[in-house]
Amino acid sequence: MRVQVRYFASLRERMGREGLRLEVPEAERLTVAEVWRRASGEPELPPGTLCAVNMEYAAPEREVRDGDEVAFFPPVTGGAP
Amino acid sequence: MRVQVRYFASLRERMGREGLRLEVPEAERLTVAEVWRRASGEPELPPGTLCAVNMEYAAPEREVRDGDEVAFFPPVTGGAP
Amino acid sequence: MSVRVRLTEAPFDPWAEVAEAERARGAARAAHGAAAVFVGAMRDRNEGVAVESMFLEHYPGMTEREMARAAEAALVRWGAAEAVVVHRVGEVRPGEALVLVAVWSGHRAQAFEACREIMEAVKHRVPLWKRERRADGERWVERNTPGRMDPAGA
Amino acid sequence: MSVRVRLTEAPFDPWAEVAEAERARGAARAAHGAAAVFVGAMRDRNEGVAVESMFLEHYPGMTEREMARAAEAALVRWGAAEAVVVHRVGEVRPGEALVLVAVWSGHRAQAFEACREIMEAVKHRVPLWKRERRADGERWVERNTPGRMDPAGA
């Protein structure tokens, strides 16, 4: 199965890219945290990192499916003073 | 001494006038509550009535002086929903 | 700290008023980036009864003074920079703006709190009285609506 | 209940936007007489350092969705009628508007609470990230300013 990985803001800069496409054997059970490990090569999600699956906030334990878009980003700082 | 008395809103309507000029012997000590009694002929301030002396909120015990303007009015209801 | 208060017998456009104040602020826009604004317009119903028009009585002199005092107190308490308060008086028709409270500040919490505090003073301290003309006759409005409420389901 | 959200890369005039929404409301003005509005503009200083410009990154699709969701949740929770949320993205200069949140409701408490709740969601849930260009270099903004504060002297 295929999973689209996306990084944003300071995390995108640190990873040196906007994302990647991850391909894994169909039989495997894949969580958001496992997607992070395989995509980044880092064992743990950096503290405070937020995750989304298909543009919905998701916990690291959340299971992903074929075709899902998984995004990782730092705490948000929108709005104004 | 002379005191200008003013009524507003529902109190003005009930009293049937916008106010009156009160004249009292210089020697007398006059409180806001006493101004009400003499001006209105009613012994007590109606519950909830607000008092102002020279456009400043004042307690009924407040002493008034020659030339003061004493206003009586119901609770305010400005602003919007 | 700057406070501007105004009473008007004529209808006014609250958003034009805020836009104008904003233009006049010039460089302060980049210093005090948060603006909280409340606008209250006359409703066409009250307690389920249709209201045709309203007369807003005031105490000339004291009304302006209490508006300015409330705005100054709120700016000081919350450390906010600027306030504009406009209140309609006289004859008002449903849909027309009754009151505008605008506060500028460095941070949003100050702006929100100061704006709300000024509105509560306008409801409870500033001498203004509403007389409604309704389908069932004329009457003085005697109670204020609550300034705080619980969320749905609380 | 009506929610309108918009992202814009171009500068926008928040007060013209509110005035336009107000005109479009028509008869609803007399039904929902309370409007609470917050506008945040970019400040020219942050933590004492001059900020020359800012880049606002977003997550196209998710950003709009979270804005709309926050506005709907706040309208439902507070029983408010209508919300307009506009957020700037891309390059922004000091003094330019970053965010507009406008809420219309039958009563002022609902409008204030819903407006404030939407602003807090914009600060904490909506995927938007600020990168400041300052005299001392570029940096990502990593902390939010507090949404609540105590009055002076408390």
PDB file of all heavy atoms in Angstrom, chain B residues 8-9 12-13 55-57 69 71 73-81, chain C residues 40 57 59 65 69 87 123-126 128-131 140-141 144:
ATOM      1  N   PHE B   8     -35.724  61.363  35.133  1.00  0.00           N
ATOM      2  CA  PHE B   8     -35.559  60.804  33.783  1.00  0.00           C
ATOM      3  C   PHE B   8     -36.419  59.555  33.583  1.00  0.00           C
ATOM      4  O   PHE B   8     -36.762  58.856  34.537  1.00  0.00           O
ATOM      5  CB  PHE B   8     -34.090  60.448  33.520  1.00  0.00           C
ATOM      6  CG  PHE B   8     -33.216  61.652  33.334  1.00  0.00           C
ATOM      7  CD1 PHE B   8     -32.531  62.190  34.407  1.00  0.00           C
ATOM      8  CD2 PHE B   8     -33.123  62.279  32.094  1.00  0.00           C
ATOM      9  CE1 PHE B   8     -31.738  63.322  34.253  1.00  0.00           C
ATOM     10  CE2 PHE B   8     -32.330  63.408  31.927  1.00  0.00           C
ATOM     11  CZ  PHE B   8     -31.638  63.931  33.015  1.00  0.00           C
ATOM     12  N   ALA B   9     -36.730  59.324  32.302  1.00  0.00           N
ATOM     13  CA  ALA B   9     -37.363  58.079  31.841  1.00  0.00           C
ATOM     14  C   ALA B   9     -38.690  57.817  32.567  1.00  0.00           C
ATOM     15  O   ALA B   9     -39.500  58.732  32.711  1.00  0.00           O
ATOM     16  CB  ALA B   9     -36.399  56.915  31.968  1.00  0.00           C
ATOM     17  N   ARG B  12     -39.582  60.238  35.326  1.00  0.00           N
ATOM     18  CA  ARG B  12     -40.044  61.536  34.805  1.00  0.00           C
ATOM     19  C   ARG B  12     -41.521  61.455  34.438  1.00  0.00           C
ATOM     20  O   ARG B  12     -42.306  62.350  34.772  1.00  0.00           O
ATOM     21  CB  ARG B  12     -39.202  61.937  33.586  1.00  0.00           C
ATOM     22  CG  ARG B  12     -39.717  63.167  32.844  1.00  0.00           C
ATOM     23  CD  ARG B  12     -38.833  63.560  31.679  1.00  0.00           C
ATOM     24  NE  ARG B  12     -38.512  62.460  30.771  1.00  0.00           N
ATOM     25  CZ  ARG B  12     -39.371  61.863  29.970  1.00  0.00           C
ATOM     26  NH1 ARG B  12     -40.638  62.277  29.928  1.00  0.00           N
ATOM     27  NH2 ARG B  12     -38.993  60.851  29.214  1.00  0.00           N
ATOM     28  N   GLU B  13     -41.889  60.357  33.780  1.00  0.00           N
ATOM     29  CA  GLU B  13     -43.299  60.199  33.384  1.00  0.00           C
ATOM     30  C   GLU B  13     -44.205  60.097  34.608  1.00  0.00           C
ATOM     31  O   GLU B  13     -45.288  60.686  34.644  1.00  0.00           O
ATOM     32  CB  GLU B  13     -43.457  58.951  32.519  1.00  0.00           C
ATOM     33  CG  GLU B  13     -42.971  59.174  31.101  1.00  0.00           C
ATOM     34  CD  GLU B  13     -43.408  58.062  30.167  1.00  0.00           C
ATOM     35  OE1 GLU B  13     -43.871  57.007  30.656  1.00  0.00           O
ATOM     36  OE2 GLU B  13     -43.284  58.261  28.949  1.00  0.00           O
ATOM     37  N   MET B  55     -24.122  65.139  38.030  1.00  0.00           N
ATOM     38  CA  MET B  55     -23.793  64.133  37.011  1.00  0.00           C
ATOM     39  C   MET B  55     -22.814  63.070  37.472  1.00  0.00           C
ATOM     40  O   MET B  55     -22.145  62.430  36.638  1.00  0.00           O
ATOM     41  CB  MET B  55     -23.281  64.799  35.718  1.00  0.00           C
ATOM     42  CG  MET B  55     -24.288  65.773  35.122  1.00  0.00           C
ATOM     43  SD  MET B  55     -23.734  66.357  33.498  1.00  0.00           S
ATOM     44  CE  MET B  55     -25.067  67.508  33.095  1.00  0.00           C
ATOM     45  N   GLU B  56     -22.702  62.885  38.801  1.00  0.00           N
ATOM     46  CA  GLU B  56     -21.903  61.787  39.356  1.00  0.00           C
ATOM     47  C   GLU B  56     -22.848  60.935  40.195  1.00  0.00           C
ATOM     48  O   GLU B  56     -23.631  61.478  40.993  1.00  0.00           O
ATOM     49  CB  GLU B  56     -20.809  62.317  40.302  1.00  0.00           C
ATOM     50  CG  GLU B  56     -19.829  63.271  39.688  1.00  0.00           C
ATOM     51  CD  GLU B  56     -18.606  62.550  39.149  1.00  0.00           C
ATOM     52  OE1 GLU B  56     -18.518  61.305  39.321  1.00  0.00           O
ATOM     53  OE2 GLU B  56     -17.748  63.222  38.556  1.00  0.00           O
ATOM     54  N   TYR B  57     -22.752  59.617  40.063  1.00  0.00           N
ATOM     55  CA  TYR B  57     -23.579  58.762  40.910  1.00  0.00           C
ATOM     56  C   TYR B  57     -23.336  59.104  42.374  1.00  0.00           C
ATOM     57  O   TYR B  57     -22.203  59.397  42.782  1.00  0.00           O
ATOM     58  CB  TYR B  57     -23.243  57.284  40.670  1.00  0.00           C
ATOM     59  CG  TYR B  57     -23.926  56.722  39.442  1.00  0.00           C
ATOM     60  CD1 TYR B  57     -23.216  56.473  38.279  1.00  0.00           C
ATOM     61  CD2 TYR B  57     -25.290  56.463  39.456  1.00  0.00           C
ATOM     62  CE1 TYR B  57     -23.841  55.965  37.149  1.00  0.00           C
ATOM     63  CE2 TYR B  57     -25.925  55.950  38.328  1.00  0.00           C
ATOM     64  CZ  TYR B  57     -25.195  55.709  37.180  1.00  0.00           C
ATOM     65  OH  TYR B  57     -25.825  55.217  36.069  1.00  0.00           O
ATOM     66  N   GLU B  69     -26.989  70.000  41.159  1.00  0.00           N
ATOM     67  CA  GLU B  69     -28.053  69.391  40.366  1.00  0.00           C
ATOM     68  C   GLU B  69     -28.209  67.957  40.861  1.00  0.00           C
ATOM     69  O   GLU B  69     -27.246  67.193  40.871  1.00  0.00           O
ATOM     70  CB  GLU B  69     -27.656  69.400  38.881  1.00  0.00           C
ATOM     71  CG  GLU B  69     -28.637  68.642  38.003  1.00  0.00           C
ATOM     72  CD  GLU B  69     -28.343  68.835  36.514  1.00  0.00           C
ATOM     73  OE1 GLU B  69     -28.405  69.988  36.043  1.00  0.00           O
ATOM     74  OE2 GLU B  69     -28.037  67.833  35.838  1.00  0.00           O
ATOM     75  N   ALA B  71     -30.188  64.386  40.376  1.00  0.00           N
ATOM     76  CA  ALA B  71     -31.014  63.660  39.409  1.00  0.00           C
ATOM     77  C   ALA B  71     -31.453  62.318  39.978  1.00  0.00           C
ATOM     78  O   ALA B  71     -30.703  61.660  40.707  1.00  0.00           O
ATOM     79  CB  ALA B  71     -30.243  63.451  38.109  1.00  0.00           C
ATOM     80  N   PHE B  73     -33.297  58.629  38.698  1.00  0.00           N
ATOM     81  CA  PHE B  73     -33.713  57.865  37.506  1.00  0.00           C
ATOM     82  C   PHE B  73     -33.760  56.367  37.773  1.00  0.00           C
ATOM     83  O   PHE B  73     -33.117  55.885  38.705  1.00  0.00           O
ATOM     84  CB  PHE B  73     -32.833  58.206  36.297  1.00  0.00           C
ATOM     85  CG  PHE B  73     -31.352  58.248  36.538  1.00  0.00           C
ATOM     86  CD1 PHE B  73     -30.605  57.079  36.591  1.00  0.00           C
ATOM     87  CD2 PHE B  73     -30.686  59.473  36.691  1.00  0.00           C
ATOM     88  CE1 PHE B  73     -29.228  57.129  36.771  1.00  0.00           C
ATOM     89  CE2 PHE B  73     -29.299  59.521  36.890  1.00  0.00           C
ATOM     90  CZ  PHE B  73     -28.571  58.341  36.940  1.00  0.00           C
ATOM     91  N   PRO B  74     -34.514  55.635  36.927  1.00  0.00           N
ATOM     92  CA  PRO B  74     -34.616  54.177  37.091  1.00  0.00           C
ATOM     93  C   PRO B  74     -33.337  53.494  36.594  1.00  0.00           C
ATOM     94  O   PRO B  74     -32.499  54.152  35.979  1.00  0.00           O
ATOM     95  CB  PRO B  74     -35.804  53.811  36.213  1.00  0.00           C
ATOM     96  CG  PRO B  74     -35.852  54.867  35.169  1.00  0.00           C
ATOM     97  CD  PRO B  74     -35.367  56.125  35.833  1.00  0.00           C
ATOM     98  N   PRO B  75     -33.184  52.187  36.877  1.00  0.00           N
ATOM     99  CA  PRO B  75     -32.026  51.449  36.369  1.00  0.00           C
ATOM    100  C   PRO B  75     -31.846  51.686  34.879  1.00  0.00           C
ATOM    101  O   PRO B  75     -32.827  51.799  34.134  1.00  0.00           O
ATOM    102  CB  PRO B  75     -32.385  49.987  36.644  1.00  0.00           C
ATOM    103  CG  PRO B  75     -33.291  50.048  37.828  1.00  0.00           C
ATOM    104  CD  PRO B  75     -34.081  51.331  37.673  1.00  0.00           C
ATOM    105  N   VAL B  76     -30.582  51.744  34.438  1.00  0.00           N
ATOM    106  CA  VAL B  76     -30.319  52.069  33.041  1.00  0.00           C
ATOM    107  C   VAL B  76     -30.436  50.808  32.171  1.00  0.00           C
ATOM    108  O   VAL B  76     -30.231  49.692  32.635  1.00  0.00           O
ATOM    109  CB  VAL B  76     -28.927  52.730  32.877  1.00  0.00           C
ATOM    110  CG1 VAL B  76     -28.792  53.898  33.842  1.00  0.00           C
ATOM    111  CG2 VAL B  76     -27.814  51.737  33.098  1.00  0.00           C
ATOM    112  N   THR B  77     -30.786  51.009  30.907  1.00  0.00           N
ATOM    113  CA  THR B  77     -30.996  49.881  29.987  1.00  0.00           C
ATOM    114  C   THR B  77     -30.434  50.203  28.614  1.00  0.00           C
ATOM    115  O   THR B  77     -31.066  49.960  27.590  1.00  0.00           O
ATOM    116  CB  THR B  77     -32.492  49.556  29.859  1.00  0.00           C
ATOM    117  OG1 THR B  77     -33.169  50.759  29.450  1.00  0.00           O
ATOM    118  CG2 THR B  77     -33.083  49.080  31.157  1.00  0.00           C
ATOM    119  N   GLY B  78     -29.228  50.784  28.588  1.00  0.00           N
ATOM    120  CA  GLY B  78     -28.624  51.150  27.303  1.00  0.00           C
ATOM    121  C   GLY B  78     -28.065  49.938  26.591  1.00  0.00           C
ATOM    122  O   GLY B  78     -28.354  48.801  26.919  1.00  0.00           O
ATOM    123  N   GLY B  79     -27.225  50.235  25.608  1.00  0.00           N
ATOM    124  CA  GLY B  79     -26.558  49.162  24.884  1.00  0.00           C
ATOM    125  C   GLY B  79     -27.511  48.406  24.004  1.00  0.00           C
ATOM    126  O   GLY B  79     -28.512  48.937  23.551  1.00  0.00           O
ATOM    127  N   ALA B  80     -27.180  47.155  23.773  1.00  0.00           N
ATOM    128  CA  ALA B  80     -27.930  46.366  22.820  1.00  0.00           C
ATOM    129  C   ALA B  80     -27.932  44.925  23.277  1.00  0.00           C
ATOM    130  O   ALA B  80     -27.233  44.596  24.223  1.00  0.00           O
ATOM    131  CB  ALA B  80     -27.282  46.495  21.451  1.00  0.00           C
ATOM    132  N   PRO B  81     -28.710  44.089  22.559  1.00  0.00           N
ATOM    133  CA  PRO B  81     -29.096  42.748  23.049  1.00  0.00           C
ATOM    134  C   PRO B  81     -28.050  41.991  23.831  1.00  0.00           C
ATOM    135  O   PRO B  81     -26.954  41.874  23.377  1.00  0.00           O
ATOM    136  CB  PRO B  81     -29.468  42.015  21.775  1.00  0.00           C
ATOM    137  CG  PRO B  81     -29.015  42.833  20.632  1.00  0.00           C
ATOM    138  CD  PRO B  81     -28.927  44.222  21.127  1.00  0.00           C
TER     139      PRO B  81
ATOM    140  N   GLY C  40     -24.023  46.538  18.622  1.00  0.00           N
ATOM    141  CA  GLY C  40     -25.382  46.099  18.935  1.00  0.00           C
ATOM    142  C   GLY C  40     -26.366  46.861  18.074  1.00  0.00           C
ATOM    143  O   GLY C  40     -26.336  48.091  18.017  1.00  0.00           O
ATOM    144  N   GLU C  57     -33.734  57.513  25.626  1.00  0.00           N
ATOM    145  CA  GLU C  57     -33.563  58.743  26.399  1.00  0.00           C
ATOM    146  C   GLU C  57     -32.190  58.738  27.052  1.00  0.00           C
ATOM    147  O   GLU C  57     -31.664  57.677  27.400  1.00  0.00           O
ATOM    148  CB  GLU C  57     -34.660  58.811  27.479  1.00  0.00           C
ATOM    149  CG  GLU C  57     -34.610  60.080  28.314  1.00  0.00           C
ATOM    150  CD  GLU C  57     -35.863  60.270  29.170  1.00  0.00           C
ATOM    151  OE1 GLU C  57     -36.953  59.796  28.755  1.00  0.00           O
ATOM    152  OE2 GLU C  57     -35.745  60.880  30.245  1.00  0.00           O
ATOM    153  N   TYR C  59     -29.185  61.364  29.536  1.00  0.00           N
ATOM    154  CA  TYR C  59     -28.975  62.473  30.460  1.00  0.00           C
ATOM    155  C   TYR C  59     -27.796  63.266  29.897  1.00  0.00           C
ATOM    156  O   TYR C  59     -26.639  62.946  30.173  1.00  0.00           O
ATOM    157  CB  TYR C  59     -28.657  61.909  31.845  1.00  0.00           C
ATOM    158  CG  TYR C  59     -28.468  62.894  32.979  1.00  0.00           C
ATOM    159  CD1 TYR C  59     -28.365  62.429  34.287  1.00  0.00           C
ATOM    160  CD2 TYR C  59     -28.403  64.276  32.791  1.00  0.00           C
ATOM    161  CE1 TYR C  59     -28.201  63.286  35.367  1.00  0.00           C
ATOM    162  CE2 TYR C  59     -28.238  65.146  33.856  1.00  0.00           C
ATOM    163  CZ  TYR C  59     -28.122  64.646  35.141  1.00  0.00           C
ATOM    164  OH  TYR C  59     -27.947  65.513  36.205  1.00  0.00           O
ATOM    165  N   ARG C  65     -20.114  61.484  29.943  1.00  0.00           N
ATOM    166  CA  ARG C  65     -19.096  61.388  30.982  1.00  0.00           C
ATOM    167  C   ARG C  65     -18.936  59.952  31.476  1.00  0.00           C
ATOM    168  O   ARG C  65     -17.819  59.466  31.646  1.00  0.00           O
ATOM    169  CB  ARG C  65     -19.507  62.307  32.153  1.00  0.00           C
ATOM    170  CG  ARG C  65     -18.499  62.347  33.251  1.00  0.00           C
ATOM    171  CD  ARG C  65     -19.030  63.089  34.465  1.00  0.00           C
ATOM    172  NE  ARG C  65     -19.118  64.534  34.236  1.00  0.00           N
ATOM    173  CZ  ARG C  65     -19.144  65.439  35.225  1.00  0.00           C
ATOM    174  NH1 ARG C  65     -19.124  65.040  36.490  1.00  0.00           N
ATOM    175  NH2 ARG C  65     -19.224  66.723  34.966  1.00  0.00           N
ATOM    176  N   ARG C  69     -15.689  57.589  31.129  1.00  0.00           N
ATOM    177  CA  ARG C  69     -15.104  57.050  32.352  1.00  0.00           C
ATOM    178  C   ARG C  69     -14.990  55.522  32.279  1.00  0.00           C
ATOM    179  O   ARG C  69     -13.973  54.936  32.671  1.00  0.00           O
ATOM    180  CB  ARG C  69     -15.988  57.468  33.524  1.00  0.00           C
ATOM    181  CG  ARG C  69     -15.502  56.979  34.837  1.00  0.00           C
ATOM    182  CD  ARG C  69     -16.267  57.655  35.954  1.00  0.00           C
ATOM    183  NE  ARG C  69     -15.998  59.090  35.982  1.00  0.00           N
ATOM    184  CZ  ARG C  69     -16.544  59.919  36.854  1.00  0.00           C
ATOM    185  NH1 ARG C  69     -17.408  59.471  37.753  1.00  0.00           N
ATOM    186  NH2 ARG C  69     -16.238  61.198  36.836  1.00  0.00           N
ATOM    187  N   HIS C  87     -22.832  55.781  20.845  1.00  0.00           N
ATOM    188  CA  HIS C  87     -24.161  55.300  21.217  1.00  0.00           C
ATOM    189  C   HIS C  87     -25.212  56.157  20.553  1.00  0.00           C
ATOM    190  O   HIS C  87     -25.110  57.366  20.507  1.00  0.00           O
ATOM    191  CB  HIS C  87     -24.356  55.317  22.732  1.00  0.00           C
ATOM    192  CG  HIS C  87     -25.306  54.251  23.207  1.00  0.00           C
ATOM    193  ND1 HIS C  87     -26.643  54.248  22.892  1.00  0.00           N
ATOM    194  CD2 HIS C  87     -25.092  53.139  23.948  1.00  0.00           C
ATOM    195  CE1 HIS C  87     -27.214  53.178  23.438  1.00  0.00           C
ATOM    196  NE2 HIS C  87     -26.290  52.482  24.085  1.00  0.00           N
ATOM    197  N   LYS C 123     -24.368  48.950  29.522  1.00  0.00           N
ATOM    198  CA  LYS C 123     -25.662  48.357  29.885  1.00  0.00           C
ATOM    199  C   LYS C 123     -26.091  48.718  31.301  1.00  0.00           C
ATOM    200  O   LYS C 123     -27.289  48.748  31.597  1.00  0.00           O
ATOM    201  CB  LYS C 123     -25.591  46.818  29.800  1.00  0.00           C
ATOM    202  CG  LYS C 123     -25.287  46.257  28.435  1.00  0.00           C
ATOM    203  CD  LYS C 123     -26.414  46.400  27.466  1.00  0.00           C
ATOM    204  CE  LYS C 123     -27.657  45.580  27.832  1.00  0.00           C
ATOM    205  NZ  LYS C 123     -28.674  45.709  26.768  1.00  0.00           N
ATOM    206  N   HIS C 124     -25.130  48.915  32.203  1.00  0.00           N
ATOM    207  CA  HIS C 124     -25.498  48.977  33.618  1.00  0.00           C
ATOM    208  C   HIS C 124     -25.175  50.291  34.325  1.00  0.00           C
ATOM    209  O   HIS C 124     -25.696  50.547  35.393  1.00  0.00           O
ATOM    210  CB  HIS C 124     -24.825  47.816  34.366  1.00  0.00           C
ATOM    211  CG  HIS C 124     -25.294  46.476  33.894  1.00  0.00           C
ATOM    212  ND1 HIS C 124     -26.538  45.978  34.223  1.00  0.00           N
ATOM    213  CD2 HIS C 124     -24.721  45.549  33.098  1.00  0.00           C
ATOM    214  CE1 HIS C 124     -26.694  44.791  33.656  1.00  0.00           C
ATOM    215  NE2 HIS C 124     -25.609  44.515  32.959  1.00  0.00           N
ATOM    216  N   ARG C 125     -24.292  51.120  33.766  1.00  0.00           N
ATOM    217  CA  ARG C 125     -23.882  52.352  34.453  1.00  0.00           C
ATOM    218  C   ARG C 125     -24.190  53.620  33.673  1.00  0.00           C
ATOM    219  O   ARG C 125     -24.438  54.672  34.258  1.00  0.00           O
ATOM    220  CB  ARG C 125     -22.363  52.336  34.714  1.00  0.00           C
ATOM    221  CG  ARG C 125     -21.941  51.656  35.990  1.00  0.00           C
ATOM    222  CD  ARG C 125     -20.496  52.040  36.325  1.00  0.00           C
ATOM    223  NE  ARG C 125     -20.337  53.440  36.690  1.00  0.00           N
ATOM    224  CZ  ARG C 125     -20.541  53.915  37.907  1.00  0.00           C
ATOM    225  NH1 ARG C 125     -20.913  53.127  38.873  1.00  0.00           N
ATOM    226  NH2 ARG C 125     -20.383  55.195  38.161  1.00  0.00           N
ATOM    227  N   VAL C 126     -24.130  53.525  32.351  1.00  0.00           N
ATOM    228  CA  VAL C 126     -24.310  54.733  31.543  1.00  0.00           C
ATOM    229  C   VAL C 126     -25.800  55.076  31.482  1.00  0.00           C
ATOM    230  O   VAL C 126     -26.611  54.230  31.112  1.00  0.00           O
ATOM    231  CB  VAL C 126     -23.730  54.522  30.125  1.00  0.00           C
ATOM    232  CG1 VAL C 126     -23.980  55.734  29.256  1.00  0.00           C
ATOM    233  CG2 VAL C 126     -22.224  54.230  30.213  1.00  0.00           C
ATOM    234  N   LEU C 128     -28.900  55.628  30.138  1.00  0.00           N
ATOM    235  CA  LEU C 128     -29.625  55.484  28.875  1.00  0.00           C
ATOM    236  C   LEU C 128     -30.847  54.624  29.165  1.00  0.00           C
ATOM    237  O   LEU C 128     -30.726  53.617  29.860  1.00  0.00           O
ATOM    238  CB  LEU C 128     -28.755  54.779  27.829  1.00  0.00           C
ATOM    239  CG  LEU C 128     -27.584  55.559  27.231  1.00  0.00           C
ATOM    240  CD1 LEU C 128     -26.534  54.615  26.693  1.00  0.00           C
ATOM    241  CD2 LEU C 128     -28.088  56.484  26.119  1.00  0.00           C
ATOM    242  N   TRP C 129     -31.980  55.027  28.636  1.00  0.00           N
ATOM    243  CA  TRP C 129     -33.198  54.265  28.914  1.00  0.00           C
ATOM    244  C   TRP C 129     -33.959  54.051  27.609  1.00  0.00           C
ATOM    245  O   TRP C 129     -34.149  54.969  26.825  1.00  0.00           O
ATOM    246  CB  TRP C 129     -34.083  55.026  29.893  1.00  0.00           C
ATOM    247  CG  TRP C 129     -33.382  55.360  31.166  1.00  0.00           C
ATOM    248  CD1 TRP C 129     -33.290  54.579  32.285  1.00  0.00           C
ATOM    249  CD2 TRP C 129     -32.674  56.570  31.468  1.00  0.00           C
ATOM    250  NE1 TRP C 129     -32.555  55.226  33.259  1.00  0.00           N
ATOM    251  CE2 TRP C 129     -32.168  56.439  32.786  1.00  0.00           C
ATOM    252  CE3 TRP C 129     -32.395  57.746  30.761  1.00  0.00           C
ATOM    253  CZ2 TRP C 129     -31.417  57.437  33.403  1.00  0.00           C
ATOM    254  CZ3 TRP C 129     -31.652  58.738  31.375  1.00  0.00           C
ATOM    255  CH2 TRP C 129     -31.173  58.575  32.682  1.00  0.00           C
ATOM    256  N   LYS C 130     -34.442  52.819  27.441  1.00  0.00           N
ATOM    257  CA  LYS C 130     -35.152  52.460  26.210  1.00  0.00           C
ATOM    258  C   LYS C 130     -36.651  52.438  26.428  1.00  0.00           C
ATOM    259  O   LYS C 130     -37.143  51.789  27.346  1.00  0.00           O
ATOM    260  CB  LYS C 130     -34.740  51.050  25.769  1.00  0.00           C
ATOM    261  CG  LYS C 130     -33.313  50.913  25.286  1.00  0.00           C
ATOM    262  CD  LYS C 130     -33.042  49.441  24.999  1.00  0.00           C
ATOM    263  CE  LYS C 130     -31.615  49.232  24.557  1.00  0.00           C
ATOM    264  NZ  LYS C 130     -31.201  47.821  24.711  1.00  0.00           N
ATOM    265  N   ARG C 131     -37.353  53.082  25.541  1.00  0.00           N
ATOM    266  CA  ARG C 131     -38.815  52.993  25.527  1.00  0.00           C
ATOM    267  C   ARG C 131     -39.230  52.361  24.199  1.00  0.00           C
ATOM    268  O   ARG C 131     -39.000  52.934  23.139  1.00  0.00           O
ATOM    269  CB  ARG C 131     -39.429  54.380  25.676  1.00  0.00           C
ATOM    270  CG  ARG C 131     -40.930  54.363  25.777  1.00  0.00           C
ATOM    271  CD  ARG C 131     -41.482  55.777  25.900  1.00  0.00           C
ATOM    272  NE  ARG C 131     -42.932  55.758  25.924  1.00  0.00           N
ATOM    273  CZ  ARG C 131     -43.645  55.450  27.005  1.00  0.00           C
ATOM    274  NH1 ARG C 131     -43.036  55.184  28.139  1.00  0.00           N
ATOM    275  NH2 ARG C 131     -44.964  55.423  26.957  1.00  0.00           N
ATOM    276  N   TRP C 140     -41.461  51.094  28.886  1.00  0.00           N
ATOM    277  CA  TRP C 140     -40.050  51.257  29.213  1.00  0.00           C
ATOM    278  C   TRP C 140     -39.431  49.872  29.403  1.00  0.00           C
ATOM    279  O   TRP C 140     -40.018  49.018  30.063  1.00  0.00           O
ATOM    280  CB  TRP C 140     -39.879  52.071  30.504  1.00  0.00           C
ATOM    281  CG  TRP C 140     -40.253  53.502  30.318  1.00  0.00           C
ATOM    282  CD1 TRP C 140     -41.448  54.078  30.615  1.00  0.00           C
ATOM    283  CD2 TRP C 140     -39.431  54.532  29.754  1.00  0.00           C
ATOM    284  NE1 TRP C 140     -41.436  55.407  30.264  1.00  0.00           N
ATOM    285  CE2 TRP C 140     -40.203  55.714  29.739  1.00  0.00           C
ATOM    286  CE3 TRP C 140     -38.131  54.585  29.248  1.00  0.00           C
ATOM    287  CZ2 TRP C 140     -39.716  56.926  29.250  1.00  0.00           C
ATOM    288  CZ3 TRP C 140     -37.648  55.794  28.769  1.00  0.00           C
ATOM    289  CH2 TRP C 140     -38.432  56.945  28.768  1.00  0.00           C
ATOM    290  N   VAL C 141     -38.260  49.672  28.827  1.00  0.00           N
ATOM    291  CA  VAL C 141     -37.532  48.425  29.052  1.00  0.00           C
ATOM    292  C   VAL C 141     -36.930  48.501  30.450  1.00  0.00           C
ATOM    293  O   VAL C 141     -36.271  49.480  30.790  1.00  0.00           O
ATOM    294  CB  VAL C 141     -36.417  48.243  28.001  1.00  0.00           C
ATOM    295  CG1 VAL C 141     -35.624  46.970  28.269  1.00  0.00           C
ATOM    296  CG2 VAL C 141     -37.020  48.209  26.602  1.00  0.00           C
ATOM    297  N   ASN C 144     -32.131  44.292  31.871  1.00  0.00           N
ATOM    298  CA  ASN C 144     -31.078  44.029  30.903  1.00  0.00           C
ATOM    299  C   ASN C 144     -30.967  42.534  30.630  1.00  0.00           C
ATOM    300  O   ASN C 144     -31.252  41.710  31.496  1.00  0.00           O
ATOM    301  CB  ASN C 144     -29.734  44.526  31.447  1.00  0.00           C
ATOM    302  CG  ASN C 144     -29.547  46.008  31.189  1.00  0.00           C
ATOM    303  OD1 ASN C 144     -29.779  46.473  30.090  1.00  0.00           O
ATOM    304  ND2 ASN C 144     -29.151  46.746  32.206  1.00  0.00           N
TER     305      ASN C 144
END
